């Protein structure tokens, strides 16, 4: 049976700053590459911080953020859970998450 190496991250999230948080994702993943994680898990609301009154930052199905996350998973050959985030599907909002594969798929 293969052992799975999991990196669970906790850090100070930049409230309402997706770009800064995505950059932080990459810095953390890169810094801990020596551990050879198979799966990297970020905390709840890691992309945006809490969205009280800022529903404009909820992610849509085809949001460019997903392309950036896929790129990270592929570049570092990891499974990636980017924490939970607000997501809009149709007219409904959900507290959601996803799992990205090293092959660039959203599972």
């Amino acid at each position: 049976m293969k052992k799975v190496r999991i990196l669970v991250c906790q850090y100070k999230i930049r409230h309402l700053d997706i770009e800064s948080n995505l950059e932080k994702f990459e810095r953390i993943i890169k810094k801990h590459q020596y551990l050879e994680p198979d799966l990297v898990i970020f905390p709840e609301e890691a992309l945006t911080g809490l969205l009280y009154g800022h529903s404009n930052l909820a992610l849509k199905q085809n949001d460019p953020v997903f392309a950036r996350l896929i790129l990270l998973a592929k570049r570092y050959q990891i499974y990636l859970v980017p924490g939970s985030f607000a997501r809009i599907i149709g007219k409904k909002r959900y507290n959601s998450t996803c799992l990205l594969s090293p092959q660039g798929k959203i599972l």
Side-chain angles (χ1 to χ4, degrees):
M1 177 184 284
K2 180 185 185 253
K3 289 185 179 182
V4 176
R5 293 177 191 216
I6 301 172
L7 175 64
V8 179
C9 308
Q10 187 66 46
Y11 64 95
K12 186 173 181 175
I13 297 164
R14 300 261 332 230
H15 189 243
L16 304 179
D17 191 346
I18 293 174
E19 182 62 33
S20 177
N21 291 320
L22 282 170
E23 290 170 5
K24 183 81 146 191
F25 275 32
E26 182 154 23
R27 283 195 306 273
I28 289 170
I29 293 167
K30 192 174 187 176
K31 178 179 178 180
H32 293 91
Q33 244 184 321
Y34 73 95
L35 296 171
E36 300 177 4
D38 299 300
L39 171 63
V40 179
I41 303 172
F42 283 92
E44 182 178 26
E45 305 291 346
L47 288 168
T48 60
L50 296 174
L51 288 182
Y52 299 118
H54 297 278
S55 60
N56 60 312
L57 290 177
L59 303 179
K60 294 177 179 62
Q61 194 70 16
N62 60 348
D63 199 290
V65 168
F66 294 113
R68 298 267 309 273
L69 293 168
I70 287 168
L71 184 64
L72 284 175
K74 287 173 74 172
R75 178 179 296 146
Y76 294 99
Q77 286 299 288
I78 56 171
Y79 286 90
L80 175 62
V81 176
S84 64
F85 47 85
R87 185 180 217 172
I88 295 176
I89 300 175
K91 293 184 179 186
K92 294 187 177 185
R93 290 190 183 99
Y94 299 91
N95 184 13
S96 185
T97 194
C98 60
L99 173 66
L100 300 117
S101 77
Q103 295 78 32
K105 300 209 183 284
I106 299 176
L107 306 173

